[in-house]
């Protein structure tokens, strides 16, 4: 989500649109930015994973001049809606009326929103295509990568590890590169201790976007074993780099992705013999940059 915000901001800045980013997770930062975002020509994009944030900040976005957009990124949205309970569900439905537009990264998320607000819903791709980097290294035919945010269970690093370990029984030359990012958590430390002494596992933490792009371009396969995705930007980035992608069939996936059940044995089988091809259904063709340009309409300021 952060990468989407950064790339969208850069694309709009290139258009000559003044852009400001507000960290709504910090009340102090948000309050300090308020005087700067009170323009009537502004477009305010509020990117979230957790739905409770849409409830808490709904009153503020309802008061802001300009146009307000709630951007829903996470494949966990269905689970959050289904477990919200009666009163939180009602609060969410009321809070969503505060936003002029509701952007979802796939059809499933858009379909979960209240029927009375469907005219405000747009499905957009969070991927912002950037020019290819000519400075990446050569492709390594036995290298497999996986990304994990702070070692959180729902990103499936353990599944990827198991899959490559199993695949190595048939192809012992295979190697795994774990691209960890986020915060140093106990779970991440445990994962690191488990793999760091293995000669066929490489570990990296908080690489720069350029370094991540290089890792994806070097890899033969990128694994995405998670139930958390809406439309994962890193999957799109890997495909754009020409890297083969094997991803869990728990979410809509772009054309070109090979699908697997979410377990180590199934992923190992897909790595070795190929997965079921995705047809891309449920994902948007319109990018978030195009949607933002359309909502801006004319030169103005974007706040995200």
């Amino acid at each position: 989500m952060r990468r989407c915000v950064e790339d969208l901001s850069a694309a709009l800045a290139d258009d000559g649109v003044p852009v400001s980013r507000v960290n709504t997770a910090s009340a102090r930062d948000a309050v300090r930015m308020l005087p700067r975002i009170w323009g009537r020509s502004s477009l305010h994009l509020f990117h979230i994973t957790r739905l409770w944030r849409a409830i808490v900040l709904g009153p503020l976005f309802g008061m802001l001049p300009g146009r307000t957009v709630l951007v829903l990124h996470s494949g966990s949205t269905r689970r959050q809606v289904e477990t919200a309970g009666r009163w939180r569900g009602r609060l969410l439905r009321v809070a969503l009326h505060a936003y002029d537009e509701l952007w979802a990264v796939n059809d499933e998320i858009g379909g979960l929103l209240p029927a009375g607000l469907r005219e405000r819903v747009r499905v957009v791709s969070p991927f912002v295509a950037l020019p290819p980097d000519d400075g990446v290294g050569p492709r390594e035919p036995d290298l497999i990568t996986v990304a994990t945010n702070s070692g959180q269970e729902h990103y499936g690093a353990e599944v990827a590890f198991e899959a490559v370990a199993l695949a190595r029984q048939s192809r012992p030359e295979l190697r795994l590169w774990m691209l960890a990012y986020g915060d140093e958590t106990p779970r991440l430390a445990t994962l690191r201790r488990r793999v760091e002494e293995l000669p066929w596992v490489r570990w990296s933490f908080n690489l720069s976007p350029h370094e991540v792009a290089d890792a994806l371009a070097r890899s033969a396969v990128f694994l995405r074993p998670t139930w958390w995705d809406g439309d994962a930007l890193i999957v799109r980035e890997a495909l754009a780099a020409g890297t083969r992608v094997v991803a869990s069939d728990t979410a809509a996936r772009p054309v070109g992705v090979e699908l697997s059940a979410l377990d180590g044995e199934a992923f190992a089988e897909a790595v070795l013999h190929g997965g079921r091809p995705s047809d891309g259904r449920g994902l948007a063709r319109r990018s978030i940059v195009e949607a933002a340009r359309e909502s801006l309409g004319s030169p103005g300021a974007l706040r995200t």
Side-chain angles (χ1 to χ4, degrees):
M1 186 166 65
R2 180 181 301 173
R3 180 68 185 275
C4 171
V5 171
E6 291 172 350
D7 290 349
L8 172 61
S9 300
L12 290 164
D14 287 345
D15 289 348
V17 177
V19 178
S20 298
R21 295 207 295 267
V22 183
N23 177 16
T24 56
S26 167
R28 181 179 179 181
D29 290 350
V31 169
R32 188 170 64 245
M33 285 293 294
L34 276 176
R36 298 174 55 187
I37 65 173
W38 217 261
R40 293 193 175 278
S41 61
S42 294
L43 174 65
H44 308 275
L45 301 186
F46 183 30
H47 299 256
I48 65 169
T49 296
R50 306 287 186 180
L51 290 177
W52 66 264
R53 301 188 71 220
I55 298 172
V56 172
L57 291 179
L60 172 61
F61 279 89
M63 293 187 296
L64 285 174
R67 194 152 188 83
T68 60
V69 180
L70 181 68
V71 188
L72 300 170
H73 284 262
S74 180
S76 68
T77 301
R78 172 175 293 280
R79 186 170 301 191
Q80 291 182 65
V81 169
E82 291 174 348
T83 60
R86 181 178 178 184
W87 290 107
R88 181 170 288 191
R90 286 184 178 179
L91 283 173
L92 178 62
R93 288 191 291 273
V94 171
L96 290 178
H97 284 81
Y99 305 93
D100 297 309
E101 298 181 42
L102 304 169
W103 295 359
V105 299
N106 63 37
D107 286 347
E108 181 188 42
I109 295 173
L112 293 171
L113 301 175
L117 294 173
R118 293 290 164 80
E119 73 281 357
R120 305 188 191 191
V121 176
R122 303 169 77 177
V123 179
V124 303
S125 167
F127 180 59
V128 180
L130 299 175
D133 188 344
D134 296 330
V136 299
R139 181 101 46 200
E140 301 179 33
D142 302 317
L143 181 61
I144 299 173
T145 55
V146 67
T148 178
N149 182 353
S150 305
Q152 296 178 74
E153 182 179 6
H154 51 255
Y155 282 107
E158 291 86 353
V159 174
F161 176 79
E162 179 186 357
V164 178
L166 289 170
R168 279 174 49 82
Q169 296 176 11
S170 299
R171 287 185 56 188
E173 67 275 17
L174 291 176
R175 295 173 290 116
L176 177 63
W177 189 353
M178 288 190 166
L179 310 177
Y181 64 97
D183 300 319
E184 287 276 15
T185 64
R187 188 179 182 90
L188 190 65
T190 299
L191 177 63
R192 183 172 190 164
R193 286 193 298 271
R194 181 182 181 188
V195 304
E196 63 184 351
E197 299 299 327
L198 297 173
W200 54 273
V201 180
R202 178 177 178 181
W203 179 274
S204 296
F205 184 62
N206 278 344
L207 296 181
S208 70
H210 172 80
E211 290 170 323
V212 171
D214 181 69
L216 294 175
R218 285 175 177 268
S219 301
V221 186
F222 175 71
L223 302 183
R224 189 65 173 175
T226 178
W227 55 265
W228 193 257
D229 281 344
D231 182 359
L233 189 150
I234 197 167
V235 167
R236 298 268 193 178
E237 187 176 8
L239 288 174
T243 302
R244 183 178 163 220
V245 177
V246 177
S248 51
D249 58 4
T250 53
R253 301 295 185 184
V255 171
V257 170
E258 300 172 34
L259 301 175
S260 169
L262 186 51
D263 65 75
E265 290 186 7
F267 262 82
E269 179 69 18
V271 166
L272 293 172
H273 305 294
R276 178 165 44 90
S278 173
D279 60 12
R281 279 188 293 184
L283 297 180
R285 295 182 179 179
R286 175 197 287 137
S287 77
I288 195 168
V289 176
E290 295 171 314
R293 286 169 177 160
E294 292 170 8
S295 291
L296 281 166
S298 57
L302 177 110
R303 314 297 180 186
T304 185

